[in-house]
Amino acid sequence: MKIAILLEINHTGGGGPYTHSINTCLDLKKYCGKNNHLLVYTQFKKTFDSLLRLKIPAKLFSYSFFDKVLLKLSVFKFFRFLTNIFNIKTSIEKLLIENKNDLLFFPVLSNLVFCLKETKFISTLLDLEHFKHSIFMEINKKEFEYRENIYFYSLKKSELIITSCESIKAKICKHYTIKKNKVFIIPYTPSNFETKKKPNKKFLDKIKKIKNYFFYPARIFGHKNHSVILKAVKILNKKNIKVNLIFSGNDRGYKKILDTYIEKNKINNVLFTGFLSQGEMHHVYKNCKGVIFTTLWGPNAIPPLETWSYKKPLIYNDRLEDDVLQGTALIGNIEDPNFVADSIEKILKNRYKKSFILNGYNKLQLIKKNSKRCYINLNIKLNSLF
């Protein structure tokens, strides 16, 4: 079978969708590549270069102006009706047909799904947090309506739907009226960082003086809840406890609010790195004192798994919605700065249960085994469908 994988996320964008997409490409190659021909298509040169470094077969393409018009307008039902009448295809679909691809795999859905005329595809739905629209600036009513449009349209037409856990599957089946046997669960796994790619000297010079720092690997969105960490640091400063922080990830419109709080409360020792390369991420994870992950969205994420892989203590929520359970992290109300402050202090003073580290690492090994089993079952399922 010939399977095309569409990767429409820029390498420098970072974040969970990009990490998940790269992991998906690696795992599809590893577990489904022996009896299938896999090729990743991307329009981003840096993403293409990264795929080649990871020895993932890839092809660089570009959208024409006409393609971009189709992509923009095909979200509207009437426009799709017109393109269906005249069988108007994008250049990428023509290429997929010309190369006799049996299936297109979306690690993350894009507008191309509205334009497909003949190509069968698999959708991936990472979360349903758009239901919480209008709480934070990143999901307004317009974004909510767009996501509902693309999900209702694509999930019905998909050959299979990939998601990461049972709770999301249950919500997909109920809200979008999808049959359970159509939704396939593959759990998240930690990033496969390019550890041989060393950080550049400028980056190393920037962080070499920062000792015993806590790391929060997340883009600067409102829902990532960086503010509770800053409030925790303010509490600790009053106790004369010094805390160093590294916040990675691009600013998505919320950094100015954090900067204002930092300046007003005279909080020092906070480094915003922006986007980090894989070698830089590896370096920061490897040398951190612990990882704080205070996102208000979920139910699951990749950074806790990465934390376990580096055998670092993790500060996390107590919602118990994913694989982070009692005994694998310091868990509590991550909207309470006193809980975050107390957890940081415990780690700095080495007063947390060391069994958390081993329990988390062992849990990660089970997740990896389960992910492998899921991909093997996916391979069997795909070959039964085609």
Side-chain angles (χ1 to χ4, degrees), residues 85-244:
I85 289 175
F86 297 102
N87 196 27
I88 300 172
K89 300 183 182 74
T90 59
S91 59
I92 183 64
E93 182 170 20
K94 291 176 183 177
L95 182 60
L96 295 175
I97 294 170
E98 181 184 326
N99 291 338
K100 298 181 179 179
N101 284 281
D102 299 293
L103 187 68
L104 177 60
F105 195 112
F106 285 95
V108 176
L109 282 168
S110 75
N111 276 11
L112 182 64
V113 76
F114 290 117
C115 304
L116 297 175
K117 299 295 183 290
E118 299 178 25
T119 305
K120 295 179 179 180
F121 62 91
I122 289 178
S123 298
T124 302
L125 208 167
L126 298 176
D127 64 64
L128 292 167
E129 296 304 283
H130 65 291
F131 289 164
K132 301 175 183 176
H133 67 90
S134 302
I135 298 174
F136 298 102
M137 66 179 79
E138 48 263 37
I139 302 288
N140 55 27
K141 188 176 180 181
K142 183 179 178 181
E143 176 66 16
F144 168 78
E145 290 172 349
Y146 166 74
R147 293 198 190 189
E148 284 291 272
N149 186 18
I150 195 170
Y151 294 156
F152 269 110
Y153 179 83
S154 63
L155 301 184
K156 299 283 188 185
K157 293 179 177 293
S158 300
E159 298 298 312
L160 289 174
I161 300 159
I162 307 296
T163 194
S164 60
C165 65
E166 285 287 351
S167 63
I168 298 178
K169 176 178 177 176
K171 291 175 183 177
I172 289 171
C173 294
K174 182 178 180 180
H175 183 71
Y176 300 105
T177 60
I178 303 294
K179 292 181 179 179
K180 290 183 179 180
N181 62 1
K182 193 176 179 179
V183 184
F184 208 88
I185 296 174
I186 301 179
Y188 284 141
T189 52
S191 302
N192 294 278
F193 292 125
E194 298 174 62
T195 55
K196 292 181 180 179
K197 191 176 180 182
K198 303 298 181 183
N200 61 46
K201 186 177 183 301
K202 184 178 180 181
F203 170 80
L204 292 174
D205 289 342
K206 186 189 295 185
I207 70 166
K208 68 181 179 181
K209 295 180 182 179
I210 306 175
K211 306 296 182 184
N212 294 325
Y213 60 84
F214 286 80
F215 182 35
Y216 187 13
R219 290 178 291 175
I220 315 299
F221 281 112
H223 72 268
K224 295 298 185 181
N225 195 24
H226 290 77
S227 59
V228 76
I229 303 174
L230 297 179
K231 290 174 183 176
V233 170
K234 182 181 177 181
I235 292 169
L236 292 169
N237 284 347
K238 290 180 179 178
K239 298 169 70 173
N240 293 318
I241 297 174
K242 180 182 177 182
V243 181
N244 295 318

Side-chain angles (χ1 to χ4, degrees), residues 15-134:
Y18 178 79
T19 301
H20 164 76
S21 297
I22 291 294
N23 287 351
T24 297
C25 293
L26 286 165
D27 288 333
L28 284 171
K29 177 191 172 187
K30 187 174 182 179
Y31 301 118
C32 305
K34 290 183 179 180
N35 56 345
N36 298 296
H37 180 272
L38 303 176
L39 184 63
V40 182
Y41 291 81
T42 184
Q43 70 270 43
F44 297 107
K45 180 65 167 61
K46 288 189 176 180
T47 300
F48 174 74
D49 292 339
S50 182
L51 289 166
L52 294 186
R53 282 196 301 272
L54 292 167
K55 298 181 179 179
I56 299 172
K59 183 177 180 64
L60 191 64
F61 77 96
S62 61
Y63 284 122
S64 67
F65 175 77
F66 182 68
D67 287 332
K68 292 175 183 177
V69 172
L70 288 177
L71 290 167
K72 187 174 183 64
L73 296 181
S74 288
V75 298
F76 301 107
K77 190 173 183 178
F78 181 70
F79 187 82
R80 291 198 299 271
F81 173 74
L82 293 178
T83 59
N84 286 338
I85 289 175
F86 297 102
N87 196 27
I88 300 172
K89 300 183 182 74
T90 59
S91 59
I92 183 64
E93 182 170 20
K94 291 176 183 177
L95 182 60
L96 295 175
I97 294 170
E98 181 184 326
N99 291 338
K100 298 181 179 179
N101 284 281
D102 299 293
L103 187 68
L104 177 60
F105 195 112
F106 285 95
V108 176
L109 282 168
S110 75
N111 276 11
L112 182 64
V113 76
F114 290 117
C115 304
L116 297 175
K117 299 295 183 290
E118 299 178 25
T119 305
K120 295 179 179 180
F121 62 91
I122 289 178
S123 298
T124 302
L125 208 167
L126 298 176
D127 64 64
L128 292 167
E129 296 304 283
H130 65 291
F131 289 164
K132 301 175 183 176
H133 67 90
S134 302

